[in-house]
Amino acid sequence: VDSAPPRLAQELAGVVGAAHVLADPELTAGYETDLTGRFGGPASLVVRPGGAAEVAAVLAACVAARVPVVPQGGNSGLVGGGVPTGGEVVLSLARLDSLGPVDTAAGQLTVGAGATLGALQRHLSGSGWAFGVDHGGREVATLGGMAATNAGGANVLRHGSMRAQVAGMEAVLASSDVIRRMSGAIKDNAGLDLPGLLVGSEGTLGIITALRLRLVPALPATVTALAGVEDVRAALALLDQLRRAAPSLHAVELFHRDGLELVIRRRRLPDPLPRPFPVYVLIECAARQDPLDELAGALGGVVSEDDVVVAADTASRRALWEYREAHNEAINAEGIPHKLDVCLPLGELAPFLDELHARVREAAPVARTIVYGHLGDGNLHVNVLGPAPGDDAADEAVLRLTAEHGGSISAEHGIGVAKARWLHLSRGPGEIAVMAAIKRALDPAGVLNPGKLLPPTD
Ligand SMILES: Cc1cc2nc3c(=O)[nH]c(=O)nc-3n(C[C@H](O)[C@H](O)[C@H](O)COP(=O)(O)OP(=O)(O)OC[C@H]3O[C@@H](n4cnc5c(N)ncnc54)[C@H](O)[C@@H]3O)c2cc1C
């Protein structure tokens, strides 16, 4: 595949309008680097189609010109999957931001792939319905990008990840065929599930243009608590107790003192508890009726009253969440982090953390390792600060240690370019061969997001 010939820009302008083909480096810059600043490269063009038919025409032109295409939603991904490596056309889905009415008979709605999670949440407010996936990138991340990465977030323990919310999809394949399964029929076993195949395919198999999303009933009564504990084993014991005693459990998040201190400094926040703790657990319960008694009952006997703060109104709940959600920003402010998003079987989480810091230091003596994550899912975000962006010795150490403990090298952010060469740590040769065969079948010219997800072949 080649970089864009000048004729292609004209051809694409004929499809989407000249205003939506960007070539000026000042205008393309925001599409070329990811949020961490670790990944990216120059795009030959950025093209912003307005619908599935335009996406199909853009793809046809790029396939004919043999120019690779990088689909991009909100560019909030953390593994370099949505940014160019050099010379690709960035296909931005941002203009496909429609939000349809709630289909109350089905508890579903239709959205454009470029609508953000935050816009969907505001759209649903007051409707009695809610969306089952939520995370800290909500104002940037698009629903199409979230489906393409099978995003997770804070409520997976209750509602599952993005895959569980996708009831239908419209997508454009490299052949320019548009597949459309948007009726919302709840059961549909008519052969292979192509929308399901595209969930988590990171823009390598097709471009998602619209989604039919499943909704969950809004739970108006929510309480949030932040508890301090002495170590991760105590945090896991608390999780065990919460799971059994609090059916309204909605989120269980984890962070450590070192990450909290960065957040406190960055956002100028007070210390959340009267004394410092090595480990913090953020807990949320949501129900139709006030779940405070249920939460208090579950915490009783495990966490002493002085070691926990509870919030029931929106402002104080948000204030507690800020300690967790500002981690990404506070760590980015310290330098360019290596972000490893891994999932451990819960029984292996503490043994993994026992070894983690020493293993990273062995690989990169300058490294500072900050860990936080979604405790309820065994999902840790391991952030390594210090090594140069191109030095991935620490990345390899973390991913190998994860595999040794039976974990997955990607819990929710995907593989992108960041982890492509370590895919074999989580997938066997047979599985990788099938993935490569599917890629060849759907994208024989290798135009869709090359170099992402699958390991390099040479
Ligand atoms: C503060 C913060 C917190 C976050 N927390 C979480 C979290 O808790 N859980 C979580 O899962 N993620 C989290 N993320 C990561 C990120 O928000 C998700 O990966 C999100 O799904 C990416 O959506 P996007 O629209 O920004 O996609 P992009 O970053 O633009 O793209 C991501 C990948 O999807 C592909 N893609 C994008 N749109 C399409 C499309 N329409 N069709 C086909 N392929 C497409 C791209 O090519 C790329 O491979 C967080 C990010 C930030 C900044």
Side-chain angles (χ1 to χ4, degrees):
V1 278
D2 313 314
S3 61
R7 239 192 13 256
L8 184 63
Q10 272 175 6
E11 208 177 321
L12 295 179
V15 174
V16 299
H20 297 299
V21 178
L22 315 178
D24 177 346
E26 269 189 28
L27 299 178
T28 58
Y31 299 84
E32 293 174 323
T33 312
D34 79 334
L35 268 186
T36 65
R38 191 174 170 214
F39 301 105
S44 56
L45 295 169
V46 174
V47 53
R48 297 162 40 98
E54 288 185 12
V55 171
V58 167
L59 276 188
C62 292
V63 169
R66 295 182 65 75
V67 173
V69 172
V70 181
Q72 188 179 97
N75 193 13
S76 71
L78 299 168
V79 290
V83 283
T85 53
E88 300 98 317
V89 166
V90 171
L91 194 158
S92 165
L93 282 305
R95 288 178 62 216
L96 279 62
D97 61 353
S98 61
L99 293 163
V102 174
D103 173 350
T104 51
Q108 298 176 350
L109 92 169
T110 295
V111 300
T116 63
L117 173 59
L120 173 63
Q121 289 171 337
R122 285 185 287 279
H123 181 69
L124 292 175
S125 151
S127 70
W129 295 96
F131 187 56
V133 171
D134 188 21
H135 68 66
R138 60 182 74 79
E139 294 307 332
V140 193
T142 64
L143 295 157
M146 289 172 60
T149 56
N150 188 23
N155 306 134
V156 169
L157 85 173
R158 190 150 199 187
H159 298 304
S161 59
M162 202 60 194
R163 181 179 297 285
Q165 326 305 324
V166 173
M169 181 185 286
E170 177 190 78
V172 184
L173 304 179
S175 59
S176 292
D177 284 327
V178 179
I179 57 169
R180 203 174 271 118
R181 286 251 306 277
M182 296 291 281
S183 79
I186 289 163
K187 291 185 172 174
D188 183 357
N189 279 349
L192 295 185
D193 180 27
L194 291 186
L197 186 63
L198 262 63
V199 173
S201 67
E202 300 183 47
T204 63
L205 299 182
I207 315 274
I208 300 165
T209 47
L211 290 161
R212 183 85 180 161
L213 295 176
R214 203 164 270 137
L215 301 174
V216 296
L219 297 170
T222 307
V223 283
T224 307
L226 182 63
V229 292
E230 291 309 324
D231 56 26
V232 167
R233 285 177 174 80
L236 286 162
L238 178 56
L239 171 65
D240 173 33
Q241 165 85 0
L242 288 163
R243 275 222 166 104
R244 282 179 291 115
S248 61
L249 194 62
H250 207 62
V252 186
E253 302 282 304
L254 170 97
F255 48 89
H256 291 75
R257 183 71 201 171
D258 51 1
L260 176 66
E261 279 176 4
L262 293 183
V263 169
I264 286 175
R265 212 169 59 220
R266 171 89 184 156
R267 294 275 178 107
R268 297 173 200 278
L269 300 175
D271 222 307
L273 293 171
R275 68 180 176 97
F277 286 88
V279 172
Y280 294 82
V281 183
L282 184 78
I283 304 145
E284 189 152 276
C285 288
R288 293 221 149 271
Q289 314 290 329
D290 186 357
L292 183 59
D293 287 348
E294 188 174 282
L295 175 60
L299 291 173
V302 189
V303 179
S304 103
E305 255 179 45
D306 298 339
D307 300 345
V308 62
V309 53
V310 178
D313 64 280
T314 307
S316 0
R317 285 184 37 244
R318 283 216 180 109
L320 287 187
W321 271 102
E322 188 177 0
Y323 290 107
R324 162 64 179 85
E325 291 193 335
H327 267 70
N328 190 53
E329 175 197 312
I331 291 168
N332 287 353
E334 293 292 298
I336 296 183
H338 293 241
K339 299 186 84 67
L340 291 317
D341 156 54
V342 299
C343 184
L344 278 304
L346 278 170
E348 290 296 317
L349 198 121
F352 169 85
L353 284 170
D354 290 342
E355 285 181 70
L356 176 69
H357 293 267
R359 285 285 278 270
V360 171
R361 265 198 307 274
E362 226 173 81
V366 292
R368 183 155 56 123
T369 307
I370 297 162
V371 180
Y372 61 95
H374 310 292
L375 182 66
D377 314 316
N379 177 186
L380 299 178
H381 298 324
V382 180
N383 292 261
V384 181
L385 282 162
D391 173 1
D392 51 19
D395 304 46
E396 174 144 357
V398 174
L399 300 181
R400 283 196 183 280
L401 183 64
T402 303
E404 284 167 29
H405 286 273
S408 167
I409 64 161
S410 174
E412 54 178 18
H413 295 164
I415 295 292
V417 283
K419 296 178 181 170
R421 71 190 180 86
W422 293 297
L423 186 62
H424 65 95
L425 293 174
S426 279
R427 294 288 180 267
E431 283 174 288
I432 293 176
V434 170
M435 288 191 208
I438 291 171
K439 169 72 175 166
R440 281 193 302 275
L442 267 66
D443 179 21
V447 162
L448 284 176
N449 224 0
K452 315 289 170 63
L453 204 167
L454 286 167
T457 43
D458 41 319

